[in-house]
Amino acid sequence: MPHYQPGLIEPKWQSYWNEHKIYRCEDPKESDPKERDSKSGTTSSRKKLYILDMFPYPSGFGLHVGHPEGYTATDIYCRLKRMQGLHVLHPMGWDAFGLPAEQFAIQNQIHPAETTKNNINNFRRQIQSLGLSYDWDREVDTTDPNYVKWTQWIFLQIYDTWYDHDLKKGRRISELPIPEEVQKQGFEAVRIYQDQHRLAYQAEVPVNWCPALGTVLANEEIIDGKSERGNHEVIRLPLRQWLLRITAYADRLLDDLDQLDWTESIKQLQRNWIGKSVGAEIAFPVVQQSGPSGTISVFTTRPDTIFGATYLVLAPEHKLVDEITHKDYRQTVQDYRVQAAKKTDFERTEMNKSKTGTFTGAYALNPFSQQEIPIWIADYVLVQYGTGAIMAVPAHDERDFSFAKQYQLPIVAVVNPPEKWFQQTKSTLENFREAYCEEGVSIQSGNFSGLKTGECKEKIIADLEKRGIGKKKVNFKLRDWLFSRQRYWGEPFPLLHELDNQGNRTGHIRPLSVSDLPLKLPDLADFQPTGTPDGPLSKVTDWVRVSIDGKNYLRETNTMPQWAGSCWYYLRYIDPKNEQEFASKEKLNYWLPVDLYVGGAEHAVLHLLYSRFWHKVLFDLGYVPTPEPFHRLVNQGIILGEMEYTGFQEAELVLSTEEGPLGSESKPKLKPTGKWISANQIDFNGEKATLKQRNDLPIAPISVNSAEVEKIEDCFVLKSNPAIRVDARSYKMSKSRGNVINPDHIITEYGADSLRLYEMFMGPLEAMKPWSMQGVEGVYRFLNRVWRLIVDEGAEVAKLNSFVTMDLPTSETLRILHRTIQKVTEDTENLRFNTAISALMELCNHLTASKTRSYPALRTFLILLSPYAPHLAEELWQVLGENGSITKQTWPVYDPALLVAETLEIPVQINGKLRVKLEVPAGIDEKELESLALADAKVQSYLQGKTIKLIKVVPSRLINIVVV
RNA sequence: GGGGCUGUGGCGAAAUGGUAAACGCACAGGAUUUAAAAUCCUGUGAGGGCAACCUCUUGUGGGUUCGAGUCCCACCAGCCCUACCA
């Protein structure tokens, strides 16, 4: 085997690892030495480490290069930690429920279970071909009935829980105190009361109904008003849905972020999503000709500005609109409501330049200014947030200000802006040109004038509470989690709806008992959505209808969303085969929390928030030992396609005729004229180019080779015509762009070790970085150099290179070796893989240059390399004549004494500028160094005629001489 | 509008407040070869000088410091997320 052939050695070692279960992770008991034979030296105090990858959705397209990035990072880290003697749990599994498999089933009449199985097999094959060190005995699959059983079981725990706001803790529904007046009304009332408090409850809510997918979607699954999957229209529709009361945990989800080792940006995203705001709820009495009738409750974060509330606005969907609307205004109000209902949330917010609304004819009394103020409806007020109504303070809120301007509503200043603001905005107290939204001192606010904002808020709230017309209130943007989907390929709810003798629902819910779990999906021949909000399961009537003890029930026909399975998979890895519990308490106590969780930032909010929520419920119920699941979180950066250079030419539109599948087709095409236009005159979105000044002239983007381009100043230009600038950037990988890199191809061409090494060498793990095929070749060449370092390429069989000797390393080699041990260890521990790899390259370069290559040094080098290029390291380990797997070796420890060279090069600065470098013996003291520097002829020449003001000596680093 | 991230060679990048550009790519020259590929050696931030060497350089402008890519302030540019949340 003369050459480095990853295609041969990689499968060989992969099957070796598999057969010998090299990466099997022992259970805590097994790893206790008392339970094991004595030849293993591990101790029970072996520290545990739980390293988790975000498991993939096994799509039909296979892995993309983003997957190996995170997976390789954790793999390298785990390999290091195992060799350092830690007890590492590092599993992998499949998030396998979800829409694509069902969509595929609808189109091709292939059961989603089958598609899923095939995709999983393909993903497993691809992942295994990367040489990742997972314990495959712990693989989980969210669609496996043995897994679904416990997803359903956890749902039932949530269903059986209510949130005690006093204790700030989820508790069993049986512990819910029932108020006496409810108790008096009997069993039925108690049941309803309990149902109202469960963490899983049903409600009629306006949902996002997507006709094309035949399902409702969660808010989070909608991007720009279209479905995240497939980009279909979404309309709003009220429906009976299951919701999970995640809002009960909002405060804890927010507060507990502080104890987590996550990046500040992810924490901030979660904070924004939870969106806590503190303010007041205030009741405004409605005034009508016939006298006051009822109140409108509003939420505000600025109760201090209530004297400036000159009108109220209700959301068009607000319950009280019909009630309060004056008969003269019924028609316009009704028209407006119809219009608003037609708009999606997106359209409402899209045209945020001009607000719309209409007057209801009704007035409310401002309880502080005592003014009668008009009540409007407008779609800039959202029904879902707060009370669905606001008090508008146009002087101190931008939105209210622009609405007031539009409809000529009065603007009254009640917070005094600073003089500077008046100048900048050219405003006066009587005439605001824009809203002043900062804090300040109250004015025109009766007894509350002169108070600072913070104090004023408190006083107003106190006054509200005293008068019984309002109270302090905390609001969250976070909504309860819409938990049901009208789909087939998801976990069925383990619930039965009781029917009365007429076959009508009684409202009683009967949860299945644990012994009835898992509730499996029925077989289905036809996967077409019903087209109604009832899911496909409703078609399976003999599955839906159930009789128990003479009572008739209907099964719940909704299924759970894809998030359900991923909410707790990290718990199942801990005890994946357990049939009695989702995981044993003892093992959970041992392994939790997850020490390091690596995955894409796209799950920053949803998956991580939902998981934390479930985890907290399980924590409250005593099933898991930690309040948080994931201690440290790292997001890998996305990998972009190769850098692309694009030039632009004037073009003309021509009709080109093409032979398509439907016969010949004529399509307008851009035909470049050859006349270049500089990129600074062009707007280019990556696909279409238009001239900045005018858009009637067709422009053709022309892909330009990097060899035809050079950089002048800040921009790239054509070498042939430097006046013409060229657009240069990297794009996200996408099928339509054709810049997708398939990991399988890289492995075939260069091997998995090259792919691993390249992805780690590209740059910092968390940074976004462009792919470069030449970079892959670079690391491939490095691995070849490593190969030749040890193997004799001229020989027929794998044989040691003749430079390899049994000599001890020279002192220089030893120093470089130990410096490399230090750097690789520290960098790998801090996930700085790119610099660890350069240290390995430097060592390799040094060893290659030596005529004699010391065996002990090579041996250590291979151990250092093994987490990064495990296949190559195993193979060369064998070539060196070592026995067993290199993965079982102990990680080397560097000797600080060996890091020090005999002489040092010390830079001498004069006034902070580097002038001379001195070669000095290591360990020289400050005084000696100083006199050596001053004695230097060149230093002296710089000191001619100057006075020394200061000599700063940093031992073993540098000298700075300050002169005047 | 809000929040965040990032600005260093031709490119990916590196640098506990202490020699800016390690390592890799690309490029150029040389060795090897009938030739090419592969490999090996040398050079490579910009400008000046025959040379030793000198000057400039981390988006811009200030500041702290003996010393700033790194810390502080202001600004500019790019990217990402989010968006009427009262």
Side-chain angles (χ1 to χ4, degrees):
Chain A
M1 196 160 54
H3 302 294
Y4 169 49
Q5 288 170 282
L8 288 181
I9 65 175
E10 289 182 355
K12 167 183 156 187
W13 288 104
Q14 282 159 17
S15 41
Y16 174 89
W17 297 330
N18 246 330
E19 279 161 29
H20 294 79
K21 291 199 190 283
I22 292 285
Y23 304 118
R24 200 177 84 84
C25 172
E26 303 146 331
D27 281 328
K29 260 233 176 87
E30 286 179 83
S31 93
D32 187 329
K34 279 177 293 200
E35 311 275 328
R36 303 166 71 193
D37 57 13
S38 53
K39 68 183 172 191
S40 148
T42 36
T43 66
S44 60
S45 61
R46 201 154 68 122
K47 203 186 150 210
K48 75 91 186 177
L49 199 61
Y50 186 177
I51 310 296
L52 183 67
D53 288 310
M54 286 186 189
F55 67 164
Y57 173 76
S59 78
F61 302 113
L63 287 186
H64 56 80
V65 290
H67 289 116
E69 190 189 12
Y71 299 164
T72 306
T74 49
D75 184 64
I76 291 166
Y77 187 74
C78 287
R79 285 172 182 273
L80 165 75
K81 289 294 160 186
R82 284 195 205 98
M83 291 168 99
Q84 285 179 333
L86 278 78
H87 189 197
V88 178
L89 175 59
H90 185 47
M92 179 46 75
W94 319 107
D95 184 17
F97 275 125
L99 283 180
E102 190 166 347
Q103 289 295 99
F104 191 80
I106 291 166
Q107 281 153 23
N108 302 288
Q109 291 304 311
I110 295 172
H111 197 284
E114 196 177 323
T115 314
T116 302
K117 201 179 107 207
N118 292 340
N119 290 350
I120 286 176
N121 286 337
N122 187 40
F123 260 68
R124 192 190 300 104
R125 175 194 63 76
Q126 286 191 297
I127 285 179
Q128 289 186 341
S129 73
L130 288 163
L132 300 170
S133 61
Y134 297 117
D135 176 359
W136 288 102
D137 289 350
R138 292 175 183 267
E139 180 179 350
V140 303
D141 164 4
T142 56
T143 64
D144 181 338
N146 292 320
Y147 187 92
V148 169
K149 172 178 176 178
W150 297 107
T151 308
Q152 290 171 332
W153 179 85
I154 293 172
F155 172 80
L156 290 178
Q157 304 313 304
I158 296 170
Y159 178 75
D160 194 44
T161 302
W162 63 287
Y163 196 78
D164 183 334
H165 283 276
D166 296 329
L167 294 181
K168 297 191 186 336
K169 183 175 188 287
R171 296 172 65 189
R172 291 290 177 188
I173 203 74
S174 56
E175 298 172 18
L176 175 68
I178 309 291
E180 220 171 298
E181 65 269 24
V182 174
Q183 223 145 26
K184 269 188 241 157
Q185 292 168 44
F187 174 77
E188 186 67 12
V190 170
R191 183 193 62 76
I192 291 171
Y193 186 81
Q194 285 180 327
D195 282 354
Q196 283 168 345
H197 286 81
R198 294 177 189 274
L199 292 184
Y201 66 98
Q202 298 180 85
E204 186 94 354
V205 281
V207 297
N208 306 295
W209 166 250
C210 178
L213 296 177
T215 184
V216 290
L217 299 171
N219 292 336
E220 307 88 74
E221 289 169 314
I222 297 166
I223 312 278
D224 294 346
K226 300 278 178 77
S227 65
E228 185 188 6
R229 287 200 194 278
N231 204 35
H232 301 295
E233 279 300 321
V234 175
I235 58 171
R236 294 186 77 75
L237 205 70
L239 259 189
R240 185 191 59 85
Q241 296 291 317
W242 282 97
L243 290 106
L244 299 190
R245 208 179 298 279
I246 189 171
T247 51
Y249 282 81
D251 257 321
R252 279 167 62 190
L253 289 169
L254 186 67
D255 294 344
D256 289 354
L257 282 172
D258 294 341
Q259 47 174 292
L260 298 177
D261 183 9
W262 295 12
T263 59
E264 207 42 49
S265 66
I266 296 284
K267 288 191 193 180
Q268 202 53 45
L269 278 175
Q270 294 224 342
R271 288 191 192 110
N272 290 344
W273 193 265
I274 295 166
K276 180 177 183 171
S277 44
V278 182
E281 206 168 285
I282 305 172
F284 282 70
V286 178
V287 184
Q288 280 175 347
Q289 285 91 339
S290 51
S293 79
T295 61
I296 290 172
S297 191
V298 304
F299 174 73
T300 179
T301 54
R302 291 295 298 271
D304 58 300
T305 62
I306 190 164
F307 281 89
T310 52
Y311 62 102
L312 294 189
V313 188
L314 306 189
E317 301 88 348
H318 197 285
K319 285 195 295 283
L320 293 176
V321 173
D322 279 333
E323 205 176 302
I324 61 162
T325 300
H326 189 275
K327 61 179 189 316
D328 296 348
Y329 293 86
R330 282 237 162 98
Q331 195 54 50
T332 48
V333 164
Q334 193 47 39
D335 290 348
Y336 184 77
R337 296 181 88 184
V338 169
Q339 285 240 315
K342 271 195 214 149
K343 295 187 205 165
T344 60
D345 269 3
F346 178 63
E347 281 171 324
R348 284 195 191 186
T349 57
E350 245 286 279
M351 353 182 227
N352 61 17
K353 291 139 230 154
S354 70
K355 301 195 187 321
T356 61
T358 193
F359 180 44
T360 61
Y363 290 84
L365 183 74
N366 182 324
F368 283 76
S369 70
Q370 298 303 329
Q371 301 283 314
E372 287 193 3
I373 58 176
I375 304 172
W376 286 62
I377 62 170
D379 63 9
Y380 83 91
V381 174
L382 305 176
V383 73
Q384 314 96 305
Y385 185 74
T387 60
I390 61 157
M391 64 174 210
V393 184
H396 306 294
D397 182 286
E398 278 175 38
R399 296 152 301 181
D400 297 342
F401 183 87
S402 75
F403 191 78
K405 279 282 171 198
Q406 179 130 357
Y407 294 101
Q408 282 119 48
L409 291 156
I411 298 168
V412 177
V414 292
V415 178
N416 199 15
E419 202 47 46
K420 208 172 133 198
W421 182 85
F422 282 117
Q423 286 162 16
Q424 271 168 8
T425 60
K426 301 194 174 73
S427 300
T428 63
L429 205 52
E430 292 70 36
N431 182 12
F432 270 29
R433 296 292 184 89
E434 56 187 73
Y436 176 73
C437 307
E438 307 299 311
E439 304 204 336
V441 175
S442 290
I443 50 170
Q444 308 192 48
S445 297
N447 295 335
F448 300 89
S449 296
L451 295 175
K452 284 193 180 151
T453 298
E455 200 188 347
C456 188
K457 280 184 186 174
E458 282 171 33
K459 293 259 163 78
I460 296 271
I461 289 171
D463 196 62
L464 286 169
E465 283 173 355
K466 198 175 80 198
R467 291 160 64 183
I469 54 169
K471 56 177 197 259
K472 187 173 179 188
K473 178 84 203 252
V474 175
N475 240 313
F476 294 94
K477 276 205 289 188
L478 184 70
R479 312 275 153 75
D480 277 342
W481 175 12
L482 180 63
F483 194 68
S484 40
R485 299 290 184 278
Q486 291 67 48
R487 305 297 299 194
Y488 174 74
W489 196 229
E491 299 87 347
F493 282 72
L495 298 175
L496 299 168
H497 297 272
E498 190 187 86
L499 300 179
D500 62 17
N501 292 336
Q502 280 75 48
N504 298 317
R505 294 184 184 209
T506 61
H508 288 228
I509 300 281
R510 178 184 171 130
L512 296 186
S513 61
V514 188
S515 56
D516 291 330
L517 300 180
L519 170 60
K520 292 187 193 169
L521 284 166
D523 255 331
L524 199 63
D526 173 19
F527 296 97
Q528 291 298 329
T530 54
T532 70
D534 295 320
L537 288 180
S538 61
K539 295 196 282 192
V540 195
T541 45
D542 54 344
W543 181 81
V544 172
R545 293 181 189 284
V546 182
S547 287
I548 301 172
D549 303 333
K551 270 194 180 155
N552 289 323
Y553 298 92
L554 292 179
R555 289 197 195 278
E556 172 63 55
T557 57
N558 283 312
T559 53
M560 298 186 199
Q562 197 183 347
W563 310 106
S566 61
C567 268
W568 73 282
Y569 73 110
Y570 61 96
L571 298 173
R572 188 61 177 173
Y573 285 139
I574 287 173
D575 198 2
K577 307 251 162 40
N578 195 326
E579 293 187 2
Q580 309 309 314
E581 307 161 275
F582 69 93
S584 89
K585 197 153 190 174
E586 186 197 1
K587 291 177 186 172
L588 290 167
N589 286 342
Y590 179 81
W591 286 113
L592 286 176
V594 171
D595 296 282
L596 173 66
Y597 193 17
V598 176
E602 65 273 21
H603 297 110
V605 179
L606 302 175
H607 159 61
L608 289 170
L609 201 64
Y610 294 154
S611 282
R612 294 179 62 217
F613 166 49
W614 278 37
H615 193 91
K616 284 185 185 305
V617 176
L618 291 173
F619 174 71
D620 288 352
L621 297 178
Y623 289 109
V624 295
T626 59
E628 285 286 336
F630 313 119
H631 175 67
R632 182 174 179 206
L633 173 76
V634 171
N635 292 118
Q636 83 245 20
I638 64 165
I639 298 179
L640 305 173
E642 294 247 4
M643 173 85 111
E644 294 177 41
Y645 300 94
T646 315
F648 303 96
Q649 288 186 4
E650 278 183 20
E652 44 201 42
L653 278 174
V654 291
L655 278 181
S656 81
T657 311
E658 272 175 25
E659 288 300 318
L662 308 166
S664 59
E665 287 179 273
S666 284
K667 277 190 191 162
K669 270 193 129 180
L670 285 171
K671 186 177 165 233
T673 59
K675 190 179 170 224
W676 291 102
I677 299 175
S678 192
N680 52 349
Q681 296 171 40
I682 301 279
D683 281 324
F684 184 52
N685 63 6
E687 283 175 35
K688 264 182 133 173
T690 50
L691 265 179
K692 272 180 184 159
Q693 288 88 358
R694 38 195 276 240
N695 52 15
D696 53 329
L697 187 68
I699 302 292
I702 311 275
S703 175
V704 185
N705 199 294
S706 65
E708 301 166 42
V709 161
E710 65 183 327
K711 196 172 191 180
I712 293 181
E713 309 274 293
D714 287 351
C715 31
F716 285 91
V717 298
L718 287 178
K719 273 185 186 167
S720 56
N721 183 353
I724 299 299
R725 289 195 199 171
V726 169
D727 179 271
R729 52 181 131 150
S730 301
Y731 298 91
K732 267 191 185 163
M733 290 191 189
S734 70
K735 271 184 278 17
S736 60
R737 231 194 147 76
N739 61 349
V740 176
I741 305 287
N742 181 341
D744 276 348
H745 291 164
I746 306 296
I747 292 175
T748 314
E749 290 280 312
Y750 302 97
D753 284 337
S754 288
L755 176 62
R756 294 167 58 103
L757 213 58
Y758 174 64
E759 293 211 7
M760 295 301 101
F761 189 58
M762 290 172 90
L765 179 63
E766 294 173 78
M768 176 191 290
K769 37 207 177 255
W771 188 268
S772 157
M773 221 53 203
Q774 286 170 332
V776 180
E777 284 185 40
V779 294
Y780 178 67
R781 281 203 284 264
F782 163 63
L783 293 180
N784 271 284
R785 281 200 297 279
V786 174
W787 178 263
R788 288 193 302 270
L789 189 62
I790 292 172
V791 175
D792 181 354
E793 272 206 305
E796 295 283 314
V797 290
K799 184 176 149 228
L800 275 185
N801 189 304
S802 58
F803 288 160
V804 177
T805 71
M806 291 310 290
D807 299 346
L808 289 174
T810 63
S811 65
E812 192 198 4
T813 300
L814 209 55
R815 194 179 73 245
I816 294 173
L817 182 67
H818 279 254
R819 204 178 61 202
T820 310
I821 295 171
Q822 181 191 23
K823 186 128 178 73
V824 172
T825 307
E826 289 175 1
D827 286 354
T828 307
E829 282 176 336
N830 292 300
L831 311 183
R832 292 192 302 250
F833 305 107
N834 52 332
T835 48
I837 292 169
S838 30
L840 288 167
M841 286 173 168
E842 281 173 286
L843 178 57
C844 175
N845 290 346
H846 170 78
L847 292 171
T848 302
S850 329
K851 274 282 172 286
T852 57
R853 296 170 194 165
S854 153
Y855 186 99
L858 292 174
R859 205 175 166 280
T860 305
F861 171 63
L862 284 185
I863 296 174
L864 295 177
L865 179 69
S866 67
Y868 288 83
H871 310 89
L872 176 64
E874 288 276 30
E875 183 69 20
L876 292 178
W877 189 248
Q878 201 175 56
V879 173
L880 276 187
E882 297 281 352
N883 292 319
S885 169
I886 196 171
T887 60
K888 299 297 177 191
Q889 291 300 310
T890 305
W891 191 257
V893 177
Y894 74 93
D895 179 354
L898 293 174
L899 295 178
V900 187
E902 281 156 32
T903 61
L904 292 173
E905 193 189 53
I906 299 289
V908 181
Q909 295 181 341
I910 315 256
N911 286 347
K913 274 195 177 155
L914 175 70
R915 294 302 181 185
V916 183
K917 292 176 189 175
L918 290 181
E919 192 79 8
V920 303
I924 188 170
D925 75 28
E926 268 183 57
K927 275 274 169 287
E928 277 180 279
L929 187 57
E930 189 179 316
S931 43
L932 260 180
L934 290 173
D936 186 85
K938 207 171 153 202
V939 172
Q940 277 301 323
S941 74
Y942 279 101
L943 301 182
Q944 281 299 307
K946 309 270 170 108
T947 325
I948 295 175
K949 249 182 91 180
L950 174 84
I951 301 180
K952 184 86 183 175
V953 182
V954 185
S956 309
R957 284 229 77 122
L958 65 71
I959 293 188
N960 190 12
I961 303 171
V962 184
V963 296
V964 278

